[in-house]
Amino acid sequence: MSAEAKADPKNARPAAGAGRAAAPGRAHPSSSEPSEPSAPLTERQEARRRRILHASAQLAGRGGFDAVQMREVAESSQVALGTLYRYFPSKVHLLVATMQDQLERMHATLRKKPPAGESAAERVAETLMRAFRALQREPQLADAMVRALTFADRGVSAEVDRVSRQTTMIILDATGLTDPTPAQLSAVRVIEHTWHSVLITWLAGRASIAQVRTDIETVCRLIDPPGPEGP
């Protein structure tokens, strides 16, 4: 994806200046303003946020990263443009939050039908392939969310951290381990990095589904290492 960012520099700008690429020429809230209120959202605010995320996913699903324009998101979600910017200062913030929301939905679905593999490695591999197939069904949306992660700078760190935590929770749930060791927690981090990497590689057309599966199954074996006593 980094190659794509270099090839399309105007799309790489949102991370450097919150909101500018999403709404060219329009003033917007300071990037220091939090993308989400620090206090718990009211029922009405949560409903508004859900409409915004739904509109973002729909636009991205139809046309990818470039199709997500803040004015169109505001119109589709029936909120004022200024209100949208108070929730999400830029479209990069918005699309990274959209990815976290999509992962939450996947997690809920996966919990209804847990993986059936005998080992932790098999269960994690099955889970990540199911998540991958869900993204595969909407490649434009997947590409938009991954590009946003690629463009994200420190100003989007809170949203990026939520995506990382959600991915970690999905993997940990799949392991079925009640008390993972430090080595297994380290393996979870490596598995998470690999999953994001193969997703990027597949979206860029540099990996087949078979290669994605092989890489995921290979890295997931790290979750079942020999114990600390030795082989």
Side-chain angles (χ1 to χ4, degrees), residues 32-173:
S32 63
E33 181 178 342
S35 58
E36 295 181 24
S38 56
L41 296 178
T42 65
E43 185 176 340
R44 184 176 179 181
Q45 288 171 329
E46 181 59 34
R48 183 183 296 129
R49 184 177 184 275
R50 296 231 60 83
R51 291 201 309 272
I52 292 170
L53 292 172
H54 179 69
S56 170
Q58 282 198 320
L59 289 168
R62 290 198 294 264
F65 184 87
D66 292 336
V68 181
Q69 300 298 322
M70 297 296 269
R71 186 174 295 280
E72 290 188 30
V73 172
E75 291 174 357
S76 296
S77 56
Q78 298 181 322
V79 301
L81 187 58
T83 299
L84 172 59
Y85 276 120
R86 285 197 293 274
Y87 280 83
F88 304 103
S90 76
K91 101 169 164 180
V92 170
H93 286 81
L94 173 57
L95 281 169
V96 174
T98 300
M99 185 167 195
Q100 195 262 339
D101 182 62
Q102 293 293 311
L103 288 172
E104 275 188 0
R105 292 169 182 269
M106 286 182 200
H107 198 183
T109 300
L110 290 164
R111 279 175 165 167
K112 291 177 182 177
K113 188 179 179 181
E118 293 185 5
S119 69
E122 291 171 343
R123 292 190 293 271
V124 174
E126 179 187 336
T127 293
L128 292 181
M129 283 307 301
R130 284 167 62 185
F132 179 82
R133 284 192 292 270
L135 292 171
Q136 184 185 4
R137 287 192 288 270
E138 294 195 77
Q140 293 264 54
L141 172 58
D143 183 68
M145 295 186 300
V146 170
R147 287 178 70 181
L149 278 176
T150 302
F151 298 153
D153 65 1
R154 292 182 182 178
V156 199
S157 60
E159 288 81 0
V160 172
D161 286 346
R162 292 187 191 102
V163 168
S164 179
R165 286 197 299 270
Q166 189 65 53
T167 307
T168 297
M169 286 191 293
I170 289 172
I171 295 171
L172 283 174
D173 269 9

Side-chain angles (χ1 to χ4, degrees), residues 207-220:
S208 65
I209 302 301
Q211 289 171 320
V212 168
R213 178 181 290 279
T214 297
D215 288 353
I216 287 177
E217 289 178 348
T218 298
V219 74
C220 285

